[in-house]
Amino acid sequence: MESWKKITYVVAIFMFLVETRPLEPYLTAYLTGPNGKISLSEAANSMESLRSYSSLIATLIMLIISDYLLYKTVVIFLTLCLCISYILMMGSPSLTKLKVSMVFYGARYCVTNVASCYLFAHIKDRKHFQKSASIAAVGLELGKFFGDVSGQIIVSSSGGIYTALPYCNAFAMLLATIWAFLFPPINKRNSLEIYLPNEKTTLLKTSEQITSESHKIKHSRVDKENKIIIVLKQIWLDFKTSFFKTVILKKSLWYIFGMAAYFQVLNNMNVLYSYVVNKFGNNDVLSNGFAESMVTLCGALGAYLIGKVQLDWNYYGDIFTSFCSTLMGVFMISCYFYEHIQLIYLSYILYGLVSEAILVITLSEIANHLKSQCYSLVIGFNLLGSLVMSAIMTFFFVQFNFLEITVPGRFLFIGGLYSILGIVFLVVYFFDDQKAKKYMPTDIYY
């Protein structure tokens, strides 16, 4: 087996384990039930706010140190945080324990991203990025599927009791942590030694410039207290050089806004389920585990199929992004109008199919245009940006909410954001296409 396939399957297995969380479809129900004993308002407001803000801290850790620690250590740390989060939810936790668990819970948003950075850093030939990202995403979605089906079976067989679910999650996170310890190490050429100078290195004097192509720091003596400055300047230089590329800039902008909306969907879908079934006269029965399992199964299908597509993404990438964004917008807007949960399930399933396909292409294309020691820097920045945007949305949806947006109204806003992204990238595609035609030679001379 080729080396890139071996490491891809190793990461895919980790993705499967870390996403096997039977509690997720019933998290709101668990928190508001006999175990958590908090109100729906507290679950949708204070707990959601803690999750959003703690995820920013976890992502900031990823952004700063992942490239230097070669990803593996960070993956292990974040997976342990998730394990602690579910341990704190076991039994009949107090309100304080639940709040602390939400702090550790924030690691879930970035642990898979660090694992993806590890995967890209381990693969030498970039032509395999799309396929490897696809396989890893399939593992991730199948893990969600297994967790959702397990959750549905456990809840159905226990008569609607959720007590065992946190124990299942904690056990899965323990297995994921053990598997992460088995990750093969990455060559130290990507480590902090690239940035940290020895006693014979320093920055060039102000009369000289560091070129973006070589990224070399010329040698001379420096004091130890200047090492941090050198590291920070090199990081800033790598950051500017990366985002100077148009492809990375465009994909990153979509990632920031698209993933912010994606996080809002994940955070609010359970709340929407409870909101709809609790409406007066509604006799729908919750089948969250089944619905979530279908979402992830279709997501795995979308990730697998897109990995097989061979296109010139530099040319077709914008129109593909526009098409997928528009579809996702339609699916989310429709959730605002539906009165029955079955129709919401259907829209969410279709959303999962499309969203996973566009995420695979976006992530692999960003990585394909980055230099090796910048994966976590750029992808982590994009994730941080998306979480900040998501936190802002949470602030206006939940804490401030001066527009008095209802739970279904949140999905109207989310769908509108996706639709705007679709229009923007459609305009970008036609602009770039016309620009290319303008400079295309029309005459042939013999």
Side-chain angles (χ1 to χ4, degrees):
M1 184 182 293
E2 298 176 72
S3 60
W4 74 270
K5 287 186 178 180
K6 290 181 181 179
I7 194 63
T8 298
Y9 291 133
V10 168
V11 174
I13 292 173
F14 171 80
M15 296 288 201
F16 176 87
L17 292 173
V18 83
E19 289 296 331
T20 302
R21 298 195 289 257
L23 176 63
E24 298 310 295
Y26 297 98
L27 182 58
T28 301
Y30 178 81
L31 294 175
T32 57
N35 296 96
K37 300 177 183 178
I38 63 174
S39 66
L40 180 61
S41 176
E42 286 179 304
N45 297 342
S46 61
M47 295 300 170
E48 168 58 25
S49 299
L50 279 172
R51 276 189 289 178
S52 297
Y53 301 141
S54 63
S55 62
L56 292 176
I57 299 174
T59 306
L60 191 59
I61 294 173
M62 166 194 169
L63 172 64
I64 295 174
I65 67 175
S66 293
D67 284 321
Y68 311 133
L69 297 182
L70 306 179
Y71 313 107
K72 178 178 176 178
T73 304
V74 181
V75 169
I76 294 171
F77 171 75
L78 294 174
T79 311
L80 278 174
C81 287
L82 283 174
C83 189
I84 294 171
S85 174
Y86 295 120
I87 290 173
L88 291 172
M89 293 185 196
M90 292 177 179
S92 298
S94 64
L95 181 60
T96 301
K97 275 191 175 182
L98 287 177
K99 288 184 177 181
V100 174
S101 72
M102 290 298 109
V103 173
F104 286 101
Y105 188 88
R108 67 164 290 200
Y109 295 100
C110 59
V111 62
T112 54
N113 277 270
V114 181
S116 296
C117 293
Y118 168 85
L119 175 62
F120 294 136
H122 225 294
I123 297 176
K124 296 180 181 179
D125 193 342
R126 292 170 180 256
K127 71 180 181 181
H128 299 306
F129 276 7
Q130 183 179 335
K131 288 184 178 180
S132 62
S134 171
I135 294 171
V138 170
L140 184 149
E141 293 299 315
L142 289 179
K144 288 182 180 179
F145 173 76
F146 181 76
D148 294 337
V149 171
S150 301
Q152 184 68 60
I153 293 173
I154 292 171
V155 172
S156 299
S157 60
S158 62
I161 298 176
Y162 311 111
T163 305
L165 297 182
Y167 294 89
C168 298
N169 280 33
F171 180 69
M173 294 308 103
L174 179 61
L175 291 179
T177 303
I178 295 172
W179 187 258
F181 273 105
L182 302 178
F183 277 12
I186 295 178
N187 192 298
K188 290 187 177 181
R189 62 184 178 84
N190 291 332
S191 69
L192 186 60
E193 293 174 3
I194 289 177
Y195 297 108
L196 277 180
N198 56 35
E199 292 300 320
K200 297 182 179 180
T201 63
T202 190
L203 285 171
L204 295 173
K205 294 183 178 180
T206 56
S207 60
E208 300 177 355
Q209 296 181 352
I210 304 176
T211 63
S212 61
E213 303 197 10
S214 65
H215 286 255
K216 293 180 180 178
I217 302 175
K218 292 192 174 181
H219 296 271
S220 61
R221 292 184 60 84
V222 292
D223 298 325
K224 291 183 178 180
E225 59 265 22
N226 292 329
K227 292 181 179 180
I228 294 298
I229 298 176
I230 293 175
V231 171
L232 293 176
K233 287 190 175 182
Q234 183 65 53
I235 291 174
W236 175 241
L237 183 60
D238 286 337
F239 182 85
K240 290 194 298 182
T241 303
S242 298
F243 281 98
F244 184 75
K245 297 178 181 179
T246 305
V247 174
I248 293 178
L249 181 61
K250 289 190 297 185
K251 295 295 183 182
S252 295
L253 287 175
W254 186 92
Y255 191 97
I256 289 172
F257 288 97
M259 284 298 290
Y262 179 80
F263 290 141
Q264 287 298 310
V265 172
L266 295 181
N267 294 338
N268 288 285
M269 190 56 73
N270 273 294
V271 180
L272 180 64
Y273 293 158
S274 300
Y275 179 90
V276 171
V277 298
N278 289 331
K279 290 177 68 174
F280 179 78
N282 190 301
N283 297 317
D284 294 339
V285 178
L286 283 174
S287 299
N288 295 7
F290 172 77
E292 293 287 345
S293 66
M294 291 305 300
V295 170
T296 53
L297 192 61
C298 288
L301 178 63
Y304 174 78
L305 292 177
I306 203 64
K308 299 290 185 180
V309 176
Q310 298 298 318
L311 289 176
D312 180 5
W313 294 111
N314 288 328
Y315 181 77
Y316 293 105
D318 291 337
I319 193 66
F320 176 79
T321 300
S322 174
F323 177 71
C324 290
S325 298
T326 303
L327 282 180
M328 292 159 72
V330 171
F331 295 145
M332 289 298 99
I333 289 174
S334 65
C335 292
Y336 173 79
F337 299 98
Y338 292 147
E339 296 291 334
H340 294 282
I341 199 167
Q342 291 81 5
L343 295 175
I344 296 175
Y345 286 155
L346 178 60
S347 289
Y348 190 30
I349 289 168
L350 295 174
Y351 172 85
L353 174 67
V354 178
S355 63
E356 198 58 38
I358 190 173
L359 285 174
V360 167
I361 293 301
T362 301
L363 190 61
S364 61
E365 282 300 294
I366 290 175
N368 193 41
H369 291 84
L370 289 174
K371 69 178 194 176
S372 57
Q373 66 264 34
C374 293
Y375 294 131
S376 182
L377 177 64
V378 174
I379 294 175
F381 174 82
N382 292 342
L383 180 60
L384 181 65
S386 65
L387 289 172
V388 169
M389 288 299 302
S390 180
I392 293 173
M393 292 182 195
T394 300
F395 178 78
F396 283 104
F397 286 160
V398 176
Q399 294 184 339
F400 198 50
N401 199 14
F402 67 96
L403 295 177
E404 297 183 355
I405 299 175
T406 62
V407 173
R410 299 178 189 181
F411 288 84
L412 187 65
F413 179 89
I414 292 167
L417 177 57
Y418 277 125
S419 300
I420 292 173
L421 287 173
I423 294 172
V424 169
F425 274 86
L426 182 63
V427 172
V428 170
Y429 170 77
F430 282 114
F431 176 80
D432 289 344
D433 188 52
Q434 292 298 318
K435 185 178 179 181
K437 290 179 179 179
K438 180 179 179 181
Y439 292 100
M440 184 180 297
T442 56
D443 297 321
I444 300 177
Y445 296 95
Y446 297 94

